[in-house]
Amino acid sequence: MNMAQQQARMMTSTGPVTIPTTIPPVDRDKIYQWIIQLTSPDTRENALQELSKKREVVPDLAPMLWHSFGTVAALLQEIVNIYPTINPPHLTAHQSNRVCNALALLQCVASHPETRSAFLQAHIPLFLYPFLHTVSKTRPFEYLRLTSLGVIGALVKTDEQEVINFLLTTEIIPLGLRIMESGSELSKTVATFILQKILLDETGLSYICQTYERFSHVAMILGKMVLHLSKEPSARLLKHVVRCYLRLSDNPRAREALRQCLPDQLKDSTFANCLKDDNSTKRWLMQLQQNLEAPGVPDPRSMPLHQQ
């Protein structure tokens, strides 16, 4: 399992995460040395590799990276240097591994409470969006997309309003929906997790349900995923899909629409075997079905002010 896969599984996991009781000692002088080496093209590749290995055991690595001279510029240079390999697609495994080490350090900055806000204000996530636009199925591109999604996933995992407000001003929803439709299982899982987190925010739910076009696009992709999951089950991915549907059912207009378009596979026993050991998802699915069975109560906000 590579670095991006480990991060994705930890990010979307709802179970307990095992934290080692003993953390190996870190030579802080070496950390400082590697950070300095990031600013030199000749020493940057090794420094990227070493620092990405240490990001879990150096709690203040994010502030160190953010506030050190030239470091963030060097990380962004690594990202921009890859753009020419995107179209036409000719990204090599070596290039992918190198830029993913840079992305791992940016994820570290995105995750830290002291640097997250500045990270957003600098609009750094936008530098990753060209990677999410790629469609090549080769492993280097899949690794690149998954690691880029990991940075966005680290942002939404904090459940902060500032993060959702920022993302709603960008194209993350259509980009995520495309990956949910055609990505690898792990990329689909992280992309669906990001959508779930956006929906769980009141502003995010209102945004997606504000127009028929936005809601129908989300509902169409979720429906396609359910159909695919009925043929190739994945309990982890299904969990996030069901949670998205359940959250959509909290909106009165979306609830009415879901009564018409909820896939039959979520109404019958198609996924009974897949969910036999997943009590939380079974509860969500039952709650979804109950929400859609209940008689519709008009929402005053969606009713016309004057009778025609």
Side-chain angles (χ1 to χ4, degrees), residues 80-98:
V80 173
N81 285 345
I82 293 298
Y83 288 172
T85 69
I86 291 177
N87 190 18
H90 57 277
L91 180 70
T92 67
H94 177 260
Q95 289 171 320
S96 179
N97 286 334
R98 175 167 172 161

